[in-house]
Amino acid sequence: MLILNCPYCGVDAEETELAAGGEAHLKRFGPGSSDDEFHDYLFMRENPKGVHFERWRHANGCGKWFHAARCTQTLEVFGTYSAQTTEPPQEIKDAITAKRPGWSWREFS
Amino acid sequence: MSEPISALNHASYEGIAKVEECGLQGMITLRGDLSDKVLAKAVKDATGQKVPGQREAFVDGDTGVCWMSTDELLVLVPYAEVEAKLAAMTNALSGTHALAVNVSDARAVFRVSGANAREVLGKLAPVELSAEAFQPGQIRRSRLAQVAGAFWMDDAETFRIVCFRSAADYAFKLLKVAAQPGSEVGVY
Ligand SMILES: [Zn+2]
């Protein structure tokens, strides 16, 4: 059972109170982009065994979207953070580095 | 003019706790910048309460205000006054980026009371309900089994629960099962 702290409510919400929203920090390629860019935006997703970034929504709660950084292998949660960002904040990256030195995920490390 | 009645019209049940449908409750959803002074004054004028902080609920009887999210409040007023209170609020907020809507008839309200009230709620919501973790003055939006629900405590042994009116029958049945005689767990 995954337990994530909602950064808006400040509650530790368990999985059944949340809705998974897929991979985090996708950059949208829309009109004007190449076919390859649009294809990758639509279909290509990370599927790591380890550090991963996801979007979640506190569906049975405040209703807000937020981000989570966690390990898909151990279910360890490194931290949650606001949805109003296009990249993980430094303190989240530091928290991951403390546990998983040398990690990388897409363009982040 | 037809007579408005609540979803279950004061149905009640007595088990390890008392479960009651509370009847009509005036309810206004207010969204906006919660740090805005105009919004704060509108809340004060409607309820006599200040704007609640994160997960706070200031409720006295059928009047009060609850924190629902970073940009949403649930304003409680007597059912008979909701139209007037909403009009005053809408007027006060006319120059502010905010939205106030009467949701009274879209909701159902229950009361669960008695020494085992925490147990009854604890069976239905994935929420830590020990006295150390949850107290009067706090609100929690969560789920009751399969439907969304929010609740706060009026006193140490009384919960008030809000859910969608369309789920009122389901919620009442849930609460009844959770309050069945002999179903004490003894956790809280
Ligand atoms: Zn939340």
Side-chain angles (χ1 to χ4, degrees), chain B residues 21 27 39 52 59 99 125 133:
Chain B
E21 198 251 13
M27 250 183 247
L39 184 143
V59 184
L99 184 69

Side-chain angles (χ1 to χ4, degrees), chain A residues 6 8-9 11 58 61-64:
Chain A
C6 172
Y8 300 101
C9 292
V11 299
H58 197 186
C62 65
K64 300 294 184 197

